[in-house]
Amino acid sequence: MTDWLVPEQDVVRIVDAAPTPLVQVSPDGRRLLTLSYRALPPLAQLAEPMLGLAGVRFHPRLHQWRRPYDFTGYTIRDLDTGDVRSIETPDGARLGRAVFSPDGRRLAFGHTTDSGVELWLGDPATGAARRLLDRKLNQTMGGSASWWAGRDALLVLLVDPNRGEPPAPPRVPPGPRAEETAGRAATHRTWADLLRTAHDEALFDHYLTGQLARVDLAPDGGPATLTELGEPGVFLDAAVSPDGTTVLVERVLPPYPHDVPLHRFAHAIELWDESGRLVRTVATQPVADEVPIQGVTVGPRAASWQPLEPATLVFAEALDGGDPRTTAEHRDRLLRLEAPFDGPPVETARTGERFVGLDWLERPGRALVSEWDRDRRWVKTVLHDLSGGSIEPRVVFDRSIDDRYGDPGQPVRRRTPDGSVVARMDGDAVFLVGDGATEEGDRPFLDRFDLETGEKERLFRADAERYAHFVQFTASGEGPSRDFVIRRESATEPPNFHLVSGADGSTRPLTAFEDPHPQLTGIEKTVLTYERADGVKLSGTLYLPPGRRPGEKLPLLLWAYPHEYTDQGTASQVKAQPNRFTRLAGTSPLMFLTQGFAVLEDATMPVVGDPATCNDTFVEQIVESARAAIAACAEEGGCDPERVAVGGHSYGAFMTANLLAHSDLFRAGIARSGAYNRTLTPFGFQNERRPFWEAKESYRTVSPFDHAESLKAPILLIHGEKDDNPGTAPIQTERMYHALAGLGGTARLVMLPEEGHGYAARESVLHVLAESFRWLDRFVKGVPAGEG
């Protein structure tokens, strides 16, 4: 046990600087909602009693999921007049994300109190806000309020009023825990917080059971009317049809399994009328405990309402048993079920590869359907008419998922008056937004893309000096001349939001957020491109602190995260944003700039090869990537190649330990929330699809734990004690430290109380920075420049 550490005050002030607020454009395009938040809650907030049941973590007293931060206030800006007003929320408010009504005239949001989450309503026109209900929302699984189509009402999930007191644990265990298997291939990831006992099941029922209800708003601002729908239950989802007559419900069914998380529990897909009466059971899905690695469940999945239709349900079904290893002409099919829901579902399309999503267009029945080929890492987008129209399916985009240069972007979406989400159109064209990756770095864009001709018109592109990306269209202008909001920044200017005229491209500032750390404006930032010994081109962004003396060679921190690729071409593409503002925040490696380090951030670590076997050469490829990165930094100048540290988070921590075990390139390392023994993740990790028993040598070769005797450089191991990320259980870091300690290695173990996979509390963030600064000061910076 150690006391909490705090770095110097200059660093504390940077950590405490307010983050750039989030924004939303109202559905009618007339207002900009700004959501301010506190990025780092106090540890006391994280330390509130928490339960983890069936893979869900929540605060039992509040019936609220463990979200990373609270919003502290909302402001509304009229995009026509420029008038700004605040939504009148309570002092010290802990707010959820606000949701505009489809017409943009109201805001619904949750407000967390000491006794639970209240439902509030805000008026964007006046700033007035009020509590709608005395009863509390059930947010154990996240959001629990959405607007009801066709009426001034909300669909909500409330805490079950008849839940009683929490079930007490048995004073004496009723018996041993026992499991049995025979002849079933149930390949499970290493999920956290699974149910283990009958008492866990009782707690699960008690806290996750909720009551669906409709909240009708009074036209004169009077008290809202509450109508309960159906019986209380555990609900995975609930959504109202576009005509407001039917509710799609996914309801969890007992008995509850102990070997899979909630999203794989048995459940019923049901249709209810607006009073909560069951109209039809679409499907009853069993427990999904035999899903193949990288596979999907059999039976209906991804059910949703079709926009621009009164009440038509669309869902997917696997045709290959959900197994990607099965040879099949078609892997999935899409079906639709129309009101009054008394006939069989009708097949509307088949996909050659795995269906992974769709974008509905502003044309009834038309949709862009995406399918994924895992063997090629390829995504295909096909235009379909899912209402049985006459158009033939037509491939619109067909590309490698890793091809950033060729990425056409994603459709700009809008919310219709009934609350549905569709891709905005202008004639036969959609609008696409993308990162605009180039050899010089990202330059985001907005395009008008004609689906009939394939012609593309560029409406906006970030210039060569400033990074800017599209946020949303406004109400002003028509078609491609419609005004829109962007977020813009530069290497020296903090992010702010601007209104762009679609007619002439002129801009008008909407916000004026200030530089959170002006003392660091002089940071030098350079995109480096270099080559690995095997010819793969690499890149990274080199940062040098302000005030560096001419000719001074600084210690270097290399921070990275490996990615898999099928070919050298896509692996060689530049991944950088040289014109973005350099914001130091949280546990970012860029914080080391305050300590006199050079930092190479996002140094590419491609692992190239057949997706089925590329991990067989994982170690060799990351070592050669690191070697090339250090050489490139030394050649650029300002870095001492003999004083280099390496660091990473999660898979980057796994990479860090491997680099220290299999090379002598680094003097020390920092590994946060990593996994180091792959036999503890035997049914795959990251994109590894082979189970351990099919690739024993590969699993052991890439496991730093198996090579702990070779890990001679000092390593700082940090982990959250409540990490619930599959594959990075805290025991991974504890066992790695124990191995190094038993072998006489140099290591330090820091386990952060109450923290998960990432680190959220202010105390934790400051401690991680202080520990990290001390470690590299001791083992890297303290070594005289030029000495090995």
Side-chain angles (χ1 to χ4, degrees):
M1 183 67 70
T2 185
D3 293 332
W4 290 106
L5 302 179
V6 178
E8 59 266 33
Q9 283 304 305
D10 284 348
V11 173
V12 173
R13 282 191 286 271
I14 292 171
V15 169
D16 287 340
T20 302
L22 306 181
V23 301
Q24 295 179 33
V25 176
S26 61
D28 62 1
R30 300 189 181 282
R31 297 183 176 95
L32 184 75
L33 170 66
T34 301
L35 304 93
S36 299
Y37 65 101
R38 179 177 58 185
L40 302 176
L43 184 62
Q45 185 171 320
L46 265 67
E48 292 176 356
M50 182 197 74
L51 280 177
L53 298 170
V56 180
R57 286 190 174 179
F58 59 93
H59 297 293
R61 178 171 55 86
L62 304 176
H63 280 82
Q64 183 181 59
W65 70 292
R66 197 184 190 197
R67 64 190 185 204
Y69 54 77
D70 296 311
F71 292 104
T72 56
Y74 309 134
T75 58
I76 294 285
R77 177 182 294 270
D78 189 297
L79 293 174
D80 292 326
T81 67
D83 292 343
V84 179
R85 64 183 57 86
S86 296
I87 299 294
E88 298 168 359
T89 55
D91 293 338
R94 293 174 56 186
L95 309 173
R97 184 179 288 272
V99 182
F100 274 108
S101 59
D103 60 9
R105 295 189 303 110
R106 302 179 188 271
L107 278 175
F109 56 92
H111 172 228
T112 302
T113 70
D114 289 340
S115 59
V117 184
E118 300 173 341
L119 178 64
W120 278 59
L121 185 72
D123 185 342
T126 66
R130 60 189 175 95
R131 188 179 66 180
L132 276 181
L133 300 174
D134 291 330
R135 290 173 61 176
K136 301 298 192 295
L137 298 175
N138 189 329
Q139 290 191 335
T140 50
M141 289 185 282
S144 56
S146 58
W147 289 94
W148 193 292
R151 60 198 302 167
D152 211 6
L154 289 152
L155 174 66
V156 300
L157 183 67
L158 303 173
V159 173
D160 180 7
N162 302 313
R163 69 190 185 284
E165 293 298 316
R171 297 185 62 184
V172 177
R177 177 169 169 258
E179 296 181 31
E180 182 174 330
T181 185
R184 298 170 63 247
T187 58
H188 298 318
R189 294 279 183 162
T190 49
W191 290 301
D193 301 324
L194 299 180
L195 301 180
R196 297 174 63 85
T197 66
H199 181 245
D200 283 350
E201 295 180 36
L203 289 172
F204 176 87
D205 255 335
H206 177 82
Y207 287 109
L208 274 75
T209 295
Q211 174 66 61
L212 284 172
R214 184 178 65 250
V215 180
D216 286 286
L217 308 181
D220 58 358
T225 302
L226 179 69
T227 304
E228 293 187 349
L229 307 176
E231 296 297 322
V234 178
F235 299 101
L236 296 174
D237 195 16
V240 180
S241 62
D243 66 358
T245 63
T246 313
V247 184
L248 166 65
V249 172
E250 295 194 33
R251 182 172 55 86
V252 173
L253 302 174
Y256 304 138
H258 289 197
D259 54 353
V260 291
L262 175 59
H263 69 273
R264 290 197 173 187
F265 278 22
H267 62 279
I269 302 175
E270 299 174 338
L271 298 175
W272 296 4
D273 67 17
E274 55 188 315
S275 67
R277 182 181 63 85
L278 178 66
V279 175
R280 174 167 176 167
T281 298
V282 177
T284 300
Q285 294 289 76
V287 174
D289 57 355
E290 296 184 57
V291 178
I293 296 174
Q294 297 183 348
V296 298
T297 57
V298 296
R301 72 178 196 278
S304 63
W305 294 112
Q306 178 174 327
L308 309 180
E309 295 279 350
T312 297
L313 190 68
V314 175
F315 55 90
E317 282 187 348
L319 296 172
D320 60 356
D323 191 341
R325 298 167 298 181
T326 298
T327 300
E329 180 180 0
H330 296 96
R331 295 210 174 273
D332 282 316
R333 65 174 181 167
L334 298 179
L335 301 100
R336 67 197 305 262
L337 179 63
E338 298 181 10
F341 314 114
D342 52 3
V346 177
E347 181 178 314
T348 61
R350 291 193 171 201
T351 61
E353 299 298 337
R354 182 69 65 215
F355 165 76
V356 290
L358 54 77
D359 276 290
W360 292 102
L361 306 180
E362 281 186 309
R363 300 289 182 274
R366 304 286 179 91
L368 296 174
V369 177
S370 296
E371 46 188 274
W372 164 247
D373 181 347
R374 73 150 194 169
D375 293 332
R376 299 169 62 209
R377 291 182 58 83
W378 208 265
V379 64
K380 181 188 296 184
T381 303
V382 183
L383 176 64
H384 283 272
D385 187 337
L386 299 181
S387 294
S390 59
I391 72 164
E392 290 294 320
R394 184 170 68 253
V395 175
V396 179
F397 303 120
D398 192 15
R399 66 181 188 89
S400 166
I401 194 68
D402 300 314
D403 180 12
R404 299 185 73 242
Y405 293 173
D407 186 353
Q410 296 296 316
V412 175
R413 301 171 181 90
R414 75 171 187 89
R415 194 167 291 278
T416 66
D418 61 26
S420 300
V421 176
V422 295
R424 184 185 293 272
M425 297 189 72
D426 176 41
D428 292 324
V430 293
F431 297 94
L432 301 174
V433 291
D435 293 333
T438 73
E439 292 183 355
E440 290 75 40
D442 290 0
R443 293 181 61 184
F445 62 83
L446 168 67
D447 285 347
R448 179 185 184 275
F449 180 81
D450 193 303
L451 293 170
E452 294 298 320
T453 66
E455 293 180 357
K456 180 174 64 176
E457 176 187 3
R458 182 134 296 176
L459 304 178
F460 170 80
R461 187 188 187 199
D463 62 43
E465 302 300 325
R466 291 177 295 186
Y467 181 92
H469 67 83
F470 173 90
V471 175
Q472 188 53 274
F473 285 109
T474 73
S476 300
E478 295 295 335
S481 297
R482 185 181 292 271
D483 295 351
F484 55 92
V485 175
I486 62 170
R487 171 175 155 149
R488 190 171 71 190
E489 59 197 277
S490 74
T492 58
E493 299 171 344
N496 272 289
F497 296 91
H498 300 257
L499 184 64
V500 180
S501 168
D504 59 19
S506 61
T507 63
R508 172 165 59 89
L510 297 173
T511 60
F513 306 128
E514 297 181 350
D515 188 338
H517 40 61
Q519 70 273 28
L520 297 175
T521 301
I523 291 171
E524 299 177 44
K525 182 178 182 180
T526 306
V527 176
L528 299 184
T529 55
Y530 45 99
E531 193 169 299
R532 203 164 69 181
D534 61 359
V536 176
K537 296 178 181 178
L538 308 173
S539 63
T541 304
L542 178 64
Y543 296 83
L544 300 176
R548 182 176 64 92
R549 297 186 301 273
E552 182 182 12
K553 292 188 178 298
L554 303 176
L556 172 68
L557 171 62
L558 186 156
W559 198 269
Y561 190 99
H563 290 277
E564 295 90 350
Y565 297 88
T566 58
D567 64 278
Q568 286 196 9
T570 54
S572 296
Q573 293 181 0
V574 173
K575 300 158 191 68
Q577 298 166 336
N579 296 326
R580 296 206 76 165
F581 181 69
T582 303
R583 175 66 192 262
L584 277 62
T587 57
S588 165
L590 296 181
M591 285 291 189
F592 273 91
L593 293 170
T594 67
Q595 308 301 300
F597 273 74
V599 178
L600 183 66
E601 189 180 40
D602 294 331
T604 53
M605 290 277 170
V607 181
V608 185
D610 185 328
T613 58
C614 65
N615 277 329
D616 293 350
T617 56
F618 176 89
V619 170
E620 295 88 340
Q621 293 197 55
I622 64 168
V623 168
E624 289 310 309
S625 293
R627 192 186 311 279
I630 295 170
C633 290
E635 183 178 348
E636 178 67 18
C639 304
D640 183 355
E642 300 297 331
R643 293 189 298 164
V644 184
V646 62
H649 186 94
S650 194
Y651 207 50
F654 170 69
M655 170 208 74
T656 295
N658 266 303
L659 286 171
L660 296 183
H662 296 285
S663 78
D664 58 0
L665 298 170
F666 301 98
R667 297 197 61 83
I670 300 172
R672 301 174 183 168
S673 299
Y676 310 103
N677 183 349
R678 286 305 174 191
T679 66
L680 297 180
T681 56
F683 290 108
F685 56 90
Q686 207 71 2
N687 288 317
E688 176 59 65
R689 62 185 61 169
R690 300 167 296 180
F692 167 76
W693 298 272
E694 293 180 10
K696 292 181 180 179
E697 183 178 353
S698 183
Y699 268 68
R700 287 173 171 149
T701 298
V702 301
S703 293
F705 182 86
D706 277 38
H707 306 279
E709 78 283 0
S710 300
L711 205 161
K712 303 300 184 182
I715 185 169
L716 174 62
L717 297 162
I718 303 175
H719 215 117
E721 287 186 341
K722 295 184 177 179
D723 190 343
D724 57 344
N725 181 57
T728 56
I731 195 174
Q732 289 271 4
T733 290
E734 292 171 329
R735 291 294 180 262
M736 187 69 199
Y737 173 77
H738 294 156
L740 293 170
L743 292 167
T746 302
R748 181 172 173 82
L749 173 69
V750 178
M751 301 298 292
L752 300 170
E754 307 300 334
E755 295 289 358
H757 191 57
Y759 317 137
R762 179 177 182 272
E763 292 90 336
S764 301
V765 167
L766 293 174
H767 188 90
V768 166
L769 292 175
E771 289 273 11
S772 301
F773 293 164
R774 289 185 180 189
W775 194 254
L776 296 197
D777 185 68
R778 178 181 171 189
F779 293 109
V780 181
K781 187 179 179 182
V783 178
E787 290 190 12

